[in-house]
Amino acid sequence: LTIQGTGLFEGTRTIDYTIAKAPLTITADSKEVTYGDVVPTYTVSYNGFVNNETKDVLSGELALSCAYDQFADAGNYPIVASGLTSNNYKITYVDGNLKVNPKEIGLEWSTNLEFTYDGEAHKLEIQGTLPEGVEVTYTPANEYTEKGVYDIEASFVDTTGNYIVPSNMEATLEIYVSVKGISLNETSLRLDPTDSYTLVATLDPINPTNDEVIWTSSNEDVVTVDQDGKLVALKVGIAV
């Protein structure tokens, strides 16, 4: 206060002062979690304290509220601060944001991709249990009975928005027929040197997945055999 003038003055004068509250902003800190996470600890940041003052000069009790709870849907949830007062600060609250991200789930095929033909239908399985709201579609199908090799594609859709799923997964299902036995058209032969004879092998069942027959001779100095089952006698002796 400055009084200017000349001469003497006697008496009193009262002057009223108004000291405005200093602005103080209390901002709820934004957070980020993944679907299914527990509720995080909410915090705030202060901006506007003067004279090195801190939150300790404020009255009341800080309250932070948010509609999120564990397993709430993915999305954004306001974080609202309230509850503090002050004679010296004009408090403005600014909401924060809690972002709940979708949860990425890893999906794998079951380890059983091959089956022995038994007349029953077989299909591939996804390991574990799909979360509720995650749907799978198989193309062209996922159930086969006959011998063969089948390429299958699984496509996933999340109807909840809470998960990140693979767009598709590919696998091959094979149903094979095993050889149970083999028989020959001849079980004993007598050949003279330079004679030849072709054996015929019959597989049981007749339509196995692998129908290759490998021919060998126990004594190639006596008899040779090619991969078509043709025997050629070379000299006197015994061979199996």
Side-chain angles (χ1 to χ4, degrees), residues 21-180:
K21 291 183 177 183
L24 175 67
T25 301
I26 301 177
T27 303
D29 298 324
S30 293
K31 303 287 182 179
E32 194 165 332
V33 297
T34 299
Y35 174 74
D37 285 353
V38 298
V39 176
T41 300
Y42 300 121
T43 57
V44 296
S45 298
Y46 300 90
N47 183 30
F49 283 122
V50 298
N51 297 328
N52 295 319
E53 291 183 332
T54 68
K55 63 181 181 179
D56 294 335
V57 302
L58 302 178
S59 301
E61 183 175 349
L62 177 65
L64 287 160
S65 63
C66 181
Y68 172 78
D69 56 16
Q70 190 176 19
F71 299 111
D73 289 338
N76 295 288
Y77 297 81
I79 305 171
V80 180
S82 62
L84 295 177
T85 61
S86 174
N87 292 327
N88 296 323
Y89 292 96
K90 181 180 180 180
I91 298 174
T92 299
Y93 291 100
V94 177
D95 292 349
N97 181 68
L98 175 64
K99 183 179 180 182
V100 181
N101 296 306
K103 181 177 182 178
E104 185 171 0
I105 55 175
L107 299 174
E108 295 181 354
W109 292 107
S110 61
T111 55
N112 191 12
L113 304 180
E114 298 180 351
F115 303 89
T116 301
Y117 173 79
D118 57 6
E120 301 292 333
H122 296 281
K123 62 182 180 180
L124 299 184
E125 301 286 351
I126 300 296
Q127 285 187 348
T129 302
L130 292 177
E132 184 176 352
V134 176
E135 300 175 353
V136 57
T137 302
Y138 297 98
T139 305
N142 187 28
E143 190 167 299
Y144 298 92
T145 303
E146 300 302 321
K147 179 189 77 171
V149 177
Y150 306 94
D151 293 325
I152 299 172
E153 180 177 273
S155 301
F156 301 90
V157 175
D158 170 35
T159 62
T160 67
N162 293 326
Y163 299 98
I164 299 173
V165 297
S167 57
N168 60 69
M169 291 169 52
E170 297 178 349
T172 299
L173 180 152
E174 180 178 2
I175 299 176
Y176 61 90
V177 178
S178 300
V179 175
K180 297 180 179 179

Side-chain angles (χ1 to χ4, degrees), residues 222-234:
V222 175
V223 175
T224 61
V225 60
D226 64 17
Q227 292 310 303
D228 293 323
K230 182 179 180 180
L231 305 175
V232 176
L234 300 179

Side-chain angles (χ1 to χ4, degrees), residues 179 181-187 199-204 215:
V179 175
I182 184 170
S183 60
L184 299 174
N185 62 322
E186 297 288 348
T187 59
L199 293 171
V200 177
T202 301
L203 302 180
D204 178 26
W215 300 89

